[in-house]
Amino acid sequence: MTTNAPWQLSRRALIAGGLGIAATSLLAGCDTVTRSTDVTAINKAVALPDYVPWTGGPEPVLPKTSALMPSAFRKIPSSLVPTAKVPGDGSTLHGSVPTNSPVPPAKGSNPYWQGLDKRMGVDLDLTITPNADWGNKFATQVAGDTLGDVFTVFGTFSYLPQFLEAKAQNLTEYLSGSGIREWPYLANLPTASWKGTVFSGGIYGVPVPRGPLTTGVLHRRQDLFEELGVDPSFGSLDEFTALCREVTDQNKNRWALGSVPTNILASMLGVPNQWDEQGGKLTHMYEVDAYQDMLEVSRKLLADGLVHPDSVTAYNGKVWFVQGSAVMLQDSYSAIPGLLQQAEPGSGFAMTMAPFVGPAGAKPKPWLGDPNNAITALAAASEDRIRTVLDVLNWCASPFGTEAWMFRKFGIEGRDFEYRDGAPVLTKTGNSETALGEFPLQYFTECPLPLFYSGFPGMTDTVYESLASWLDDGITNPTYGLYSPTNSTKGPAVGTYATNAINDVLLGRAPVSSWKGVVREWRRRGGDAMRREFEEASAARAGS
């Protein structure tokens, strides 16, 4: 969520609005709805699953400088760890998942999907929905009770805890504490990710982890900087602005930035990651003076023509970056494989990441991305059925270095991929059948993302060095994993109000000085209530 430009509504916020009506209708007769404002009960803690790092695969090629550092690899190991067993029982497993990639061919014409069935031991029946349509589709499935056995759940929609209590299996007895050890690949998922699955004193899902790679960073077209003879480094806000001016040439369809780089500016100006917590009290980023400073800098970048002119109305930053019309792009670390894949072979495309810069020379404290993309819920079922589904999810979380991971990402050798210079590369068929290597099975769950870029071994070192420079200084959103009823029910509308006001400032329709009045209204419409509830939720989680 933190990779968006200041004026962009997150996809999850849009989803939240579409699901509110469906969730409210579904739960109208459920006892759990009576607890919809019981912040303490909803945020009651539970013993999280033990964290047991998996050690059965290849050794990372670079040291773990931080507990948050992903394992780093430059190549596929010559010997893969075999799958211990086929996890399924031959039954049909219905699932509902979103996708960011093109929807893959149906199973009947997709040997890769058929191979998944064989390896997983199930008849995998997926309802796959493009992200743009996910909110409406999910709402329809909720209303029709057709979500299936396993379904992706994003973190913000109305009555989320009550929805999960009514429709999902409480997994606490299976996964809490040492129980997780029955599923070693799930036990390999970090503790921070499990925090996003806890509601009403229970574990109601399995993480879809992304770890620190969700963090927004400033990607640079290193090849273009070299072609222009420009040093891409900067050590202050003024130097950054000067750099943007130096590389922008509108006559050549080239702009410095694909969008206003919120995360980069936040680090430079000391803006908190959504909320700042001090002594149990919360202050929202909108309320600090540094946020207004960030609006002024953002407004000026746009007014001076240093940002792609379509960034507000028709954002397509990844394409602009690959094509060269945006020399720098703020996006997550997890976007790197897709950017590399989009680049034209032989074009000389080369990318690096700009170091974060702190305010007035102070140590930078970047916004650390949320640990999960989403969570996956299981429909309530018998104990045998739940254990079978968890076996399947455990297979889905098999890490880098296993046969299962290799098949999930690359499919069938000679059909979906071929080796080039020792690295697996997807074919045209493979791109289609595996959904660009991101088959939506990854929204069931996934292993902690490694630093591995097939065919680009040097990128592993580039990303590793970037992460190592700041990872232990990154600041988290202190409300992650906590539930505020006001944020759930009013958050999308309040967010739209703030976003519209931000747009007005950035596009010159309102002065930056109007922001203080916006903040007062934001507080009145729900900001203060969210603050109180998150503070109560934090106390409940800590004191349980």
Side-chain angles (χ1 to χ4, degrees), residues 282-299:
L282 291 171
T283 302
H284 196 267
M285 63 179 180
Y286 290 165
E287 300 175 287
V288 302
D289 291 341
Y291 193 87
Q292 186 166 311
D293 295 338
M294 190 168 76
L295 287 179
E296 172 58 25
V297 174
S298 302
R299 181 200 65 77

Side-chain angles (χ1 to χ4, degrees), residues 175-256:
L175 303 179
S176 179
S178 62
I180 191 73
R181 293 171 184 260
E182 184 175 337
W183 296 280
Y185 296 152
L186 295 181
N188 185 47
L189 304 184
T191 299
S193 287
W194 287 105
K195 291 180 179 178
T197 69
V198 175
F199 300 93
S200 305
I203 298 171
Y204 278 92
V206 172
V208 181
R210 293 294 181 267
L213 299 186
T214 60
T215 300
V217 67
L218 191 64
H219 300 298
R220 305 179 294 198
R221 280 292 302 271
Q222 189 68 27
D223 56 317
L224 295 183
F225 275 106
E226 292 176 2
E227 182 181 311
L228 295 169
V230 175
D231 181 354
S233 62
F234 55 89
S236 68
L237 183 56
D238 287 342
E239 290 180 6
F240 174 67
T241 303
L243 175 66
C244 291
R245 293 185 186 283
E246 189 172 3
V247 299
T248 296
D249 188 337
Q250 298 183 22
N251 292 328
K252 295 184 177 179
N253 195 37
R254 186 178 69 234
W255 288 267

Side-chain angles (χ1 to χ4, degrees), residues 368-385:
L368 187 65
D370 289 346
N372 292 338
N373 175 280
I375 67 172
T376 288
L378 279 63
S382 69
E383 179 177 347
D384 286 347
R385 180 61 170 171

Side-chain angles (χ1 to χ4, degrees), residues 170-483:
N170 184 338
L171 299 170
T172 306
E173 65 176 292
Y174 303 95
L175 303 179
S176 179
S178 62
I180 191 73
R181 293 171 184 260
E182 184 175 337
W183 296 280
Y185 296 152
L186 295 181
N188 185 47
L189 304 184
T191 299
S193 287
W194 287 105
K195 291 180 179 178
T197 69
V198 175
F199 300 93
S200 305
I203 298 171
Y204 278 92
V206 172
V208 181
R210 293 294 181 267
L213 299 186
T214 60
T215 300
V217 67
L218 191 64
H219 300 298
R220 305 179 294 198
R221 280 292 302 271
Q222 189 68 27
D223 56 317
L224 295 183
F225 275 106
E226 292 176 2
E227 182 181 311
L228 295 169
V230 175
D231 181 354
S233 62
F234 55 89
S236 68
L237 183 56
D238 287 342
E239 290 180 6
F240 174 67
T241 303
L243 175 66
C244 291
R245 293 185 186 283
E246 189 172 3
V247 299
T248 296
D249 188 337
Q250 298 183 22
N251 292 328
K252 295 184 177 179
N253 195 37
R254 186 178 69 234
W255 288 267
L257 300 163
S259 67
V260 175
T262 314
N263 295 51
I264 310 309
L265 298 178
S267 178
M268 290 184 187
L269 297 168
V271 177
N273 187 352
Q274 317 307 311
W275 295 90
D276 178 51
E277 189 274 328
Q278 299 291 334
K281 300 298 181 182
L282 291 171
T283 302
H284 196 267
M285 63 179 180
Y286 290 165
E287 300 175 287
V288 302
D289 291 341
Y291 193 87
Q292 186 166 311
D293 295 338
M294 190 168 76
L295 287 179
E296 172 58 25
V297 174
S298 302
R299 181 200 65 77
K300 200 165 190 311
L301 288 171
L302 284 163
D304 291 351
L306 306 180
V307 183
H308 196 288
D310 295 332
S311 61
V312 178
T313 56
Y315 180 76
N316 199 11
K318 290 182 174 68
V319 170
W320 302 333
F321 183 70
V322 172
Q323 291 177 343
S325 55
V327 183
M328 293 178 282
L329 175 73
Q330 179 183 282
D331 209 313
S332 64
Y333 285 95
S334 59
I336 293 172
L339 293 170
L340 294 172
Q341 191 176 50
Q342 289 180 49
E344 187 71 26
S347 65
F349 178 93
M351 59 184 290
T352 57
M353 290 91 240
F356 288 96
V357 173
K363 180 180 287 189
K365 294 184 177 181
W367 290 359
L368 187 65
D370 289 346
N372 292 338
N373 175 280
I375 67 172
T376 288
L378 279 63
S382 69
E383 179 177 347
D384 286 347
R385 180 61 170 171
I386 294 300
R387 289 190 179 279
T388 296
V389 176
L390 288 173
D391 286 344
V392 171
L393 295 182
N394 184 67
W395 186 92
C396 294
S398 50
F400 178 91
T402 63
E403 290 178 351
W405 183 92
M406 183 68 184
F407 188 84
R408 289 202 314 273
K409 299 303 178 184
F410 295 100
I412 304 166
E413 183 177 0
R415 178 183 176 86
D416 295 318
F417 79 95
E418 57 190 31
Y419 283 100
R420 298 178 191 167
D421 297 324
V425 178
L426 288 170
T427 63
K428 182 178 180 180
T429 297
N431 277 326
S432 173
E433 292 184 351
T434 72
L436 304 177
E438 296 186 343
F439 194 81
L441 185 68
Q442 67 178 348
Y443 288 102
F444 273 14
T445 188
E446 178 63 280
C447 65
L449 298 184
L451 301 186
F452 171 73
Y453 306 93
S454 186
F456 300 89
M459 185 57 66
T460 295
D461 298 79
T462 299
V463 177
Y464 176 89
E465 291 168 7
S466 176
L467 289 169
S469 70
W470 67 267
L471 202 47
D472 283 334
D473 298 312
I475 54 174
T476 61
N477 174 0
T479 66
Y480 177 76
L482 302 178
Y483 181 81

